[in-house]
Amino acid sequence: MTQSSSDLAQLFAGICRLEHALALMEWDQATLCSDAGQAARGEAMAEIHSEIHRRLNQPWIAEALAQAPADTAEQHRMLTLMSRRHREASQLDEAFVRRKVTLSVACETAWRQAREESRFSHFAEAFSPLLALLKEEGARRAEPAEAPYQALLKKFEPDLNLAQLNALFAPIETQLPELIQQACERSAQRSAEPLPSISVEEQKRVAERLAHQLGFDRGAGRIDVSTHPFTAGVPGDVRITSRYDRDNLLSGFYSMIHEVGHARFEQGIDTRWHQTPMARVQSAGLHEAQALAFEMQLAREPEFLDWLSQQLQQEWGSHTALSAANLQAHVHRVEPSLIRVEADEVTYPAHILLRLRLEQALLSGDLPLIDLPDAWNRGMAQLLGVTPGNDREGCLQDIHWCFAEFGYFPSYALGAMLAAQQFEGLRQQPGWQQPVPERHLWVCEQMARKIWHQGGGQDLNQVAQQISGRPLSAEPLLAHLRRRYLES
């Protein structure tokens, strides 16, 4: 029996439904599931991953893909994405897939405890077999003469190779140190009044209202609290989380704003792509660009801070600490810090450079896992002049490696580059001159039309070219940082 393009559509619709179930299990794992339930949860997740892998490896798929019509650009893109999933699945066997999932779940459970206790040895014991598996995966996926890290990078940035990545990061590496120094000196001249201490429950209530005001659809998702903020789910069912600090209310608010950017992308994908490969955004950098567009480009502008100040003072009374000027002094402060997710916009790329270097060294074997804390501390001292006092503030702060996600961290810096490149053009248009609520609606309309509706229809460089007429570059980001932190 000859399989047709309709059979391909049914195959991938079924896979999308299974991935929906997985996404909810991953959300539950990070928000509600007990530690005692994690092992059983891991086995269940491994079973679903194995079933997806089996479906993607069926022998009829290659012939059906070869015979399917590709008369339109959309058909061609759909077949490209189907072929990519089929090829990636063929590079690994089912036993490998199952082992990777169970090790990842066990590693995440160990990471939560290790982070709480600031005990790297506990994490290393769980991560060591996962790192060995990552090395094996990189070797299996690599093309001839291709570095294993490049093979892992392609999972997150399909249209970017390691040479292109290094070329994009080169201006950051050379120009960032002086920019950080100048911005820190300028920032030190400004004083900021301490923010009021607000209960976590009060912050959570206001942050959730802020998410709604920024366009998050609670009717097609939900908001929770987790150790590490994240976005999960599928376009029709998007879950976001934040975390809160009673003595730093801006930390929870800006985490929420970041995740709303992710969620708006997912909720903005055209419904005709739901349950197809086009519903899955292919570039992690493209997804991060949407979150950073909200968090860094929109929400740090003076007009937004005026609006946010009004919202907060309506809730908690007139307070000089909640004035727009004081909020701006806080969010525009530039100071080397230990925690990536709380870093300012100028020093943030240095955190990514560190992780990029360490990932490649761990994968190649040049850096033994046992030496990771010391390498991390040396790197932080070299790049930012600060040294963690413990592993919780150092190499245990991020969850990503528990998911075997080597190659993801560069996407944060790539997203910052794309967001700056996009807003470089938006700021020149009349719509930018509107008051904040109208400006936000206008910006979202532009992003929805050019990016969100297409879902996985475009990769990173395609979007950069489409929105700005030129390839992705670090220069708009560097220009944006100079404008905001050295010239304004």
Side-chain angles (χ1 to χ4, degrees):
M1 179 180 173
T2 303
Q3 307 291 337
S4 65
S5 54
S6 63
D7 294 311
L8 287 171
Q10 291 178 20
L11 168 70
F12 280 92
I15 288 171
C16 287
R17 288 189 282 269
L18 289 173
E19 288 176 338
H20 185 181
L22 272 176
L24 297 188
M25 294 174 80
E26 290 164 358
W27 163 81
D28 178 76
Q29 181 185 358
T31 56
L32 298 172
C33 188
S34 66
D35 287 345
Q38 295 288 359
R41 171 60 51 86
E43 290 297 330
M45 291 170 66
E47 189 66 38
I48 297 178
H49 274 285
S50 296
E51 177 59 24
I52 292 171
H53 186 267
R54 282 193 293 270
R55 294 190 186 191
L56 285 169
N57 264 321
Q58 294 177 86
W60 62 267
I61 296 176
E63 183 179 355
L65 287 168
Q67 295 178 355
D71 301 326
T72 68
E74 290 178 351
Q75 287 177 330
H76 184 270
R77 179 63 176 176
M78 189 75 76
L79 290 174
T80 297
L81 300 185
M82 290 178 174
S83 298
R84 186 180 290 170
R85 294 294 305 275
H86 177 57
R87 182 179 65 254
E88 290 174 350
S90 69
Q91 293 168 338
L92 306 176
D93 58 66
E94 187 181 332
F96 184 97
V97 171
R98 182 180 290 274
R99 193 160 75 253
K100 182 179 175 182
V101 175
T102 53
L103 286 175
S104 294
V105 173
C107 188
E108 182 183 354
T109 304
W111 170 79
R112 293 184 193 284
Q113 183 178 354
R115 182 179 179 276
E116 182 69 26
E117 300 172 359
S118 188
R119 187 157 56 100
F120 175 75
S121 59
H122 184 65
F123 169 74
E125 183 179 352
F127 184 61
S128 181
L130 191 57
L131 177 59
L133 214 64
L134 266 170
K135 294 178 180 180
E136 184 182 347
E137 181 177 355
R140 288 191 185 202
R141 293 193 183 281
E143 303 290 340
E146 183 179 53
Y149 190 79
Q150 163 68 58
L152 297 179
L153 176 69
K154 284 192 297 190
K155 293 193 302 178
F156 305 108
E157 303 300 341
D159 70 339
L160 202 63
N161 60 42
L162 196 52
Q164 292 170 317
L165 181 70
N166 290 333
L168 285 167
F169 272 83
I172 300 287
E173 290 196 69
T174 56
Q175 298 179 45
L176 193 64
E178 183 180 4
L179 205 162
I180 290 175
Q181 181 183 352
Q182 292 175 347
C184 285
E185 290 172 355
R186 197 160 187 261
S187 179
Q189 298 170 11
R190 305 190 191 101
S191 61
E193 183 179 346
L195 296 168
S197 180
I198 305 291
S199 73
V200 167
E201 283 305 311
E202 278 291 293
Q203 289 187 45
K204 182 173 179 290
R205 180 180 58 80
V206 175
E208 291 185 5
R209 191 184 72 199
L210 176 62
H212 174 73
Q213 291 170 311
L214 293 175
F216 179 70
D217 182 2
R218 287 290 292 268
R222 59 175 289 135
I223 301 174
D224 292 278
V225 176
S226 67
T227 305
H228 192 103
F230 69 93
T231 299
V234 297
D237 182 9
V238 180
R239 314 294 177 95
I240 61 176
T241 72
S242 188
R243 65 184 180 195
Y244 303 94
D245 179 347
R246 66 176 294 116
D247 296 319
N248 183 6
L249 62 88
L250 291 178
S251 175
F253 285 177
Y254 275 83
S255 290
M256 180 69 79
I257 292 168
H258 180 96
E259 299 307 329
V260 168
H262 281 303
R264 289 299 308 270
F265 192 2
E266 291 291 324
Q267 293 182 332
I269 294 173
D270 196 304
T271 55
R272 67 188 174 129
W273 302 132
H274 291 192
Q275 298 195 13
T276 78
M278 294 275 273
R280 183 179 185 179
V281 178
Q282 301 298 300
S283 163
L286 177 56
H287 224 309
E288 291 301 336
Q290 312 315 297
L292 293 169
F294 274 59
E295 179 194 4
M296 298 298 186
Q297 297 293 330
L298 282 171
R300 279 172 165 74
E301 288 291 305
E303 297 85 355
F304 181 91
L305 292 167
D306 284 339
W307 176 82
L308 180 61
S309 172
Q310 294 170 20
Q311 301 294 312
L312 300 185
Q313 293 193 65
Q314 286 174 11
E315 284 292 333
W316 297 313
S318 179
H319 198 308
T320 55
L322 296 177
S323 69
N326 196 56
L327 295 182
Q328 180 165 330
H330 278 276
V331 301
H332 284 189
R333 177 187 291 142
V334 179
E335 182 180 19
S337 58
L338 297 171
I339 307 300
R340 175 187 63 85
V341 298
E342 296 175 3
D344 60 77
E345 194 177 10
V346 180
T347 60
Y348 188 92
H351 290 264
I352 303 306
L353 281 171
L354 173 64
R355 287 155 177 79
L356 176 60
R357 293 172 183 174
L358 293 177
E359 284 186 348
Q360 293 185 75
L362 285 168
L363 197 68
S364 67
D366 292 341
L367 175 63
L369 180 57
I370 194 173
D371 295 334
L372 176 60
D374 288 340
W376 184 288
N377 294 350
R378 288 195 305 271
M380 287 293 291
Q382 176 195 12
L383 288 166
L384 289 169
V386 294
T387 304
N390 54 61
D391 293 335
R392 178 191 173 96
E393 297 176 337
C395 62
L396 292 181
Q397 65 183 263
D398 293 308
I399 196 172
H400 303 62
W401 290 344
C402 302
F403 302 140
E405 288 187 345
F406 272 31
Y408 190 99
F409 276 118
S411 299
Y412 289 111
L414 295 171
M417 293 179 199
L418 181 62
Q421 195 158 323
Q422 179 180 6
F423 276 74
E424 185 180 54
L426 289 175
R427 286 190 175 90
Q428 307 306 315
Q429 298 182 34
W432 184 263
Q433 307 309 319
Q434 302 177 85
V436 163
E438 290 79 12
R439 174 193 291 181
H440 177 76
L441 288 173
W442 173 77
V443 167
C444 288
E445 287 171 359
Q446 304 303 307
M447 295 169 74
R449 180 170 56 85
K450 296 179 179 180
I451 301 173
W452 300 347
H453 291 342
Q454 282 74 40
Q458 302 175 95
D459 288 325
L460 186 66
N461 266 318
Q462 291 175 296
V463 171
Q465 193 74 41
Q466 189 258 339
I467 63 175
S468 68
R470 64 186 192 274
L472 185 66
S473 168
E475 293 307 325
L477 174 60
L478 291 165
H480 158 71
L481 295 176
R482 291 189 188 97
R483 176 186 65 81
R484 178 174 282 173
Y485 296 97
L486 299 184
E487 299 169 6
S488 63

